[in-house]
Amino acid sequence: MPKNINDMDMFIFICLCLWSLNGVFVADAVKSESVTEGESVSLNSSVTQIQTHEEIEWKFGDFLIAKVNKNKESKFYDESAAGRFRDRLKLDQTGSLTIINSRTTDSGLYTVSSSSRGTINTINLTVYARLPVPVISSNSSLNSSSSSSSSCLLVCSAVNVSHVTLSWFKGNSVFSSIRVSDLSSRSDLLLHLECVDDSYSCVLNNPIRNQTQHLNNAQLCHTCAAGPPVSLTVLISAAAAAGSLLIVAAVGIFCICRKHRNTHREETRAEEITYADPTFNRRNRNKSRPREEDNVVYAGVSRR
């Protein structure tokens, strides 16, 4: 019995060694790469050195597009992918694939595999279209129909864009934004204002790039007066008035409390003092002093 167990262990060990020598391993999780249209992108094969009699293959979806072997002999299969990669693919000595002058149609799943290792790496490539600079204009038709003659309506627009976000900013704060998922002929974002200043801007962005257009044309809408916007000025004035009233009320309450405290002290002191009624004895000036001639009896003093 022990002998059978040792033989089994040896068999498993030998299988593991052969599996390791062949370099077979489980593929990593899908990786992501992003690039802007027109730029080149390199997809890593995760291979440091191509072994003898080994071939590295790249597939775009189900289509075989490139192959390289130990002798650095590369072969490309553009016809299998409708020629979309014609003269735009390169392979290096490690089997990494470079796509030159990328296009939005290059977006998709790329898989690299080895003749001896199986699937090595899977990469999801996203090629974003170049972003145009958004255009800011004034919608005169809507402005003329607006109930408030002092207000204006601005429009930020972008043409032929997809998978982007169009946003109005004031400084670093977002006023409003829309998400454009599908390619459309025109995407508009409205902004209703009373007046404008140079802190407003329209931003078109995707996950890797952005384009900004600043609002600096006073002809589109009348310029705000110096200082903060009217609504903000009113708010600040109201807050200042409320603060002044609170200060005055606090001072009044303090004075009343102080006066009440002083009055209370004076009343307390008055209760603690006892006043005595004065008594005056009137002296009789007309009363005469006794004279020796009056009936006065003098007694002698004897000494012993």
Side-chain angles (χ1 to χ4, degrees):
M1 185 70 179
K3 182 178 180 180
N4 294 333
I5 295 176
N6 290 336
D7 291 341
M8 181 61 70
D9 291 342
M10 183 60 69
F11 176 76
I12 294 174
F13 176 76
I14 293 173
C15 291
L16 290 175
C17 289
L18 292 174
W19 180 66
S20 176
L21 288 175
N22 286 332
V24 179
F25 56 90
V26 179
D28 295 335
V30 177
K31 300 177 181 178
S32 298
E33 291 285 348
S34 300
V35 68
T36 299
E37 184 179 21
E39 298 177 346
S40 297
V41 57
S42 181
L43 306 180
N44 191 1
S45 65
S46 297
V47 175
T48 57
Q49 185 177 2
I50 301 177
Q51 300 176 3
T52 305
H53 307 302
E54 182 182 22
E55 288 186 338
I56 301 296
E57 296 181 348
W58 279 94
K59 285 186 177 182
F60 174 64
D62 296 329
F63 299 104
L64 177 64
I65 59 174
K67 181 185 294 186
V68 62
N69 57 27
K70 174 65 176 179
N71 298 325
K72 302 179 183 178
E73 295 176 351
S74 301
K75 186 175 182 180
F76 302 99
Y77 301 87
D78 292 339
E79 64 278 2
S80 61
R84 72 175 67 195
F85 297 107
R86 189 177 304 278
D87 300 327
R88 296 191 298 115
L89 298 180
K90 286 186 177 181
L91 285 168
D92 63 15
Q93 60 184 4
T94 64
S96 294
L97 178 68
T98 299
I99 304 175
I100 303 171
N101 190 21
S102 59
R103 304 171 184 173
T104 56
T105 54
D106 298 340
S107 298
L109 204 62
Y110 292 79
T111 305
V112 57
S113 61
S114 165
S115 58
S116 60
R117 311 183 194 193
T119 301
I120 300 175
N121 208 357
T122 303
I123 301 172
N124 185 23
L125 175 65
T126 303
V127 180
Y128 291 97
R130 289 184 175 274
L131 294 178
V133 178
V135 177
I136 299 177
S137 59
S138 176
N139 195 321
S140 58
S141 60
L142 292 178
N143 286 335
S144 59
S145 61
S146 175
S147 58
S148 175
S149 58
S150 61
S151 63
C152 65
L153 188 64
L154 299 175
V155 181
C156 182
S157 59
V159 180
N160 295 330
V161 291
S162 62
H163 301 94
V164 296
T165 300
L166 189 62
S167 307
W168 272 109
F169 278 77
K170 178 174 175 57
N172 295 323
S173 301
V174 180
F175 256 34
S176 60
S177 64
I178 57 172
R179 174 70 179 169
V180 182
S181 299
D182 300 324
L183 189 67
S184 58
S185 59
R186 180 185 175 97
S187 299
D188 295 335
L189 183 61
L190 307 181
L191 180 64
H192 196 181
L193 294 173
E194 296 297 326
C195 59
V196 297
D197 55 42
D198 56 6
S199 66
Y200 291 93
S201 60
C202 182
V203 178
L204 181 69
N205 71 285
N206 59 31
I208 60 174
R209 295 287 187 274
N210 68 74
Q211 290 283 8
T212 302
Q213 180 67 268
H214 292 280
L215 180 61
N216 52 14
N217 189 351
Q219 295 179 354
L220 298 177
C221 186
H222 60 278
T223 306
C224 296
V230 176
S231 57
L232 184 59
T233 303
V234 173
L235 181 61
I236 294 175
S237 301
S244 300
L245 290 176
L246 288 176
I247 294 174
V248 172
V251 172
I253 293 174
F254 174 78
C255 293
I256 293 174
C257 292
R258 184 174 181 181
K259 182 177 181 180
H260 178 74
R261 185 168 61 250
N262 293 337
T263 304
H264 179 70
R265 287 180 179 176
E266 292 176 2
E267 291 177 355
T268 303
R269 290 178 180 176
E271 291 176 357
E272 294 176 354
I273 299 175
T274 303
Y275 294 93
D277 295 330
T279 303
F280 298 93
N281 294 323
R282 186 174 181 180
R283 184 177 180 181
N284 189 0
R285 295 181 179 180
N286 296 327
K287 184 177 179 179
S288 60
R289 296 181 177 178
R291 294 179 303 176
E292 295 183 357
E293 293 81 4
D294 293 339
N295 295 325
V296 177
V297 179
Y298 297 93
V301 178
S302 62
R303 295 183 179 179
R304 291 182 183 181

